[in-house]
Amino acid sequence: MEDELYLGVMSGTSLDGVDIALMNFAGDRPRLMAAAFTPMPQEIRNALSALCSRGETSLAELGELDHRLGHLYARAINELLAAEKLDPADIRGVGCHGQTIWHAPGGAYPFTLQIGDANIIAARTGVTTVADFRRKDMAFGGQGAPLVPAFHQALFADPHRLTVVLNIGGISNISLLIPDQPAQGYDTGPGNLLLDAWIEQQRGERYDRDARWALSGRVNDALLAQLLDDPYFSQPAPKSTGREHFSPQWLQRKLAGFRDLAPEDVQATLAELTASSISRELERYPTDSQPARLLVCGGGAKNPLLMTRLSALLPGWTVAATTEYGLDVDYVEAAAFAWLARRRLNNLPGNIPQVTGASQPVALGAIYPAETQYEKSGSQYAPK
């Protein structure tokens, strides 16, 4: 059987780096053939963090970051192709999510903005690239997010039991796969975003390895109640959120009455916020009449405190990492955008209207073709 290879490229709200998944869609089940991670250069990370926090920029800064990210994505792709001894012609398409710098689906003029010039990706890799996945869904009245439930349904749905796929990246999102019902999904709230921001502010570390710092602290119930009081948590789906809402500034406002709280106790409470906001959503779905499983992916799947708390808060659920079901926790989202690129290049819908709120299914993403080689014929150029 001939291989059907696509690449998915993802850099999320954690700003830690670029995930790339090489997927083979030949056969009955998609397979992850290879994967790679490229750390986000500190200078670019700092610029993106500042931009996402303040929501203001100059046209020059925006354009330069768009350009630099395009080159970063292209370099990461070329390094994976070289490592796997693949030619660009072996790859049918790249799906690049881009870097979200603002997501505002609920305003008077709803919009979302991802950067990372796909023209540069197509030019530098020689592979047709699909990008700008979210705005077509928004053009039809949707939130533009989450887009991964359709992929989760194709890969993880079980006709005999309730399955929820939970991605804990910077933001946490769930895909609800209920037998004999259409897939559902939405963002539950913060994932690693606030945990990472707090430890970086207090200790200069990018993330809390193995949750060691959080485990050294104690949950403050009063602060937890204050955090969970945010209106987003009671907002009905469809809904989506991001760094522009659950920002370090949001956390500072919530901490105004807790200035004497030890920093490690704040970290422990932020971990409990992530686990509690997720479990509150899943408690709505009874598990006494059917088995239920929670498949966790993203960086949070490697956080032992989050996984322990989810198991404790959801006693009726089997909690496991997606790696146990065939797809590495680090590359599920990247794999989803490889799948979405394939859908777009075959002119098939990639969204689920009941998930995003769009009025209809639509093919998502703009196509940036790999450049044809031209030769001069007289005064004109024509394809070779």
Side-chain angles (χ1 to χ4, degrees):
M1 181 183 298
E2 183 181 359
D3 287 338
E4 190 181 351
L5 302 179
Y6 285 79
L7 285 167
V9 183
M10 180 71 195
S11 59
T13 51
S14 61
L15 303 177
D16 58 344
V18 181
D19 297 322
I20 301 184
L22 173 65
M23 298 295 294
N24 190 348
F25 292 104
D28 297 333
R29 185 178 178 85
R31 289 172 290 150
L32 177 66
M33 307 299 291
F37 173 76
T38 298
M40 186 72 72
Q42 189 64 45
E43 185 181 357
I44 296 178
R45 185 174 186 268
N46 290 343
L48 288 170
S49 180
L51 174 57
C52 294
S53 296
R54 68 178 183 262
E56 296 179 354
T57 186
S58 67
L59 291 176
E61 181 185 28
L62 184 63
E64 288 168 6
L65 278 171
D66 184 48
H67 180 96
R68 294 175 71 180
L69 283 168
H71 279 282
L72 177 65
Y73 296 146
R75 176 170 61 83
I77 290 167
N78 286 332
E79 288 174 354
L80 183 143
L81 292 179
E84 297 300 317
K85 298 180 171 56
L86 291 169
D87 188 87
D90 297 325
I91 309 298
R92 299 196 182 186
V94 168
C96 182
H97 173 268
Q99 183 64 54
T100 297
I101 56 173
W102 205 258
H103 182 68
Y109 303 99
F111 77 97
T112 188
L113 182 59
Q114 289 76 40
I115 61 173
D117 190 346
N119 294 286
I120 292 173
I121 299 171
R124 296 289 179 178
T125 66
V127 182
T128 293
T129 300
V130 184
D132 193 14
F133 285 95
R134 299 191 183 276
R135 292 197 296 172
K136 178 62 74 68
D137 180 84
M138 295 185 76
F140 282 85
Q143 295 265 321
L147 297 182
V148 292
F151 173 67
H152 291 161
Q153 184 177 45
L155 202 64
F156 295 116
D158 186 323
H160 305 296
R161 57 178 166 177
L162 166 63
T163 297
V164 172
V165 182
L166 165 65
N167 175 63
I168 307 178
I171 295 295
S172 297
N173 56 71
I174 55 174
S175 298
L176 293 153
L177 311 176
I178 303 172
D180 303 319
Q181 293 187 29
Q184 304 170 50
Y186 51 91
D187 293 346
T188 61
N192 301 315
L193 192 158
L194 296 174
L195 288 163
D196 293 348
W198 182 248
I199 195 171
E200 185 163 22
Q201 177 186 327
Q202 297 295 316
R203 296 168 66 97
E205 300 172 21
R206 279 199 174 189
Y207 68 100
D208 188 4
R209 184 181 294 275
D210 297 325
R212 293 170 189 165
W213 196 42
L215 285 166
S216 73
R218 299 178 62 182
V219 173
N220 183 284
D221 291 334
L223 175 59
L224 179 62
Q226 179 79 356
L227 298 172
L228 286 168
D229 192 47
D230 188 273
Y232 182 81
F233 296 117
S234 58
Q235 181 182 328
K239 61 180 179 178
S240 57
T241 189
R243 183 182 289 268
E244 61 286 332
H245 182 86
F246 290 106
S247 65
Q249 292 77 16
W250 177 89
L251 177 58
Q252 289 299 329
R253 291 193 297 271
K254 294 288 187 177
L255 288 172
F258 299 88
R259 297 302 184 191
D260 296 330
L261 199 60
E264 62 270 23
D265 291 346
V266 174
Q267 187 76 351
T269 306
L270 290 173
E272 190 68 12
L273 169 67
T274 294
S276 294
S277 58
I278 293 165
S279 66
R280 285 184 173 197
E281 296 295 335
L282 300 188
E283 286 169 354
R284 302 177 184 181
Y285 303 94
T287 59
D288 51 353
S289 60
Q290 60 177 334
R293 61 178 184 173
L294 178 64
L295 307 185
V296 189
C297 60
K302 297 186 290 187
N303 183 313
L305 176 56
L306 290 180
M307 294 296 282
T308 297
R309 291 302 298 146
L310 286 170
S311 294
L313 292 167
L314 297 166
W317 295 70
T318 298
V319 179
T322 57
T323 304
E324 299 178 34
Y325 290 82
L327 193 51
D328 189 308
V329 295
D330 286 325
Y331 299 103
V332 175
E333 278 207 299
F337 283 93
W339 185 84
L340 284 166
R342 179 175 181 258
R343 300 286 290 182
R344 179 64 186 92
L345 292 173
N346 287 283
N347 202 30
L348 296 170
N351 65 333
I352 299 178
Q354 64 268 22
V355 170
T356 66
S359 60
Q360 66 181 66
V362 288
L364 303 175
I367 300 172
Y368 299 77
E371 192 58 70
T372 302
Q373 296 297 309
Y374 292 93
E375 61 183 357
K376 195 168 186 179
S377 177
S379 62
Q380 303 292 322
Y381 283 90
K384 287 183 178 180

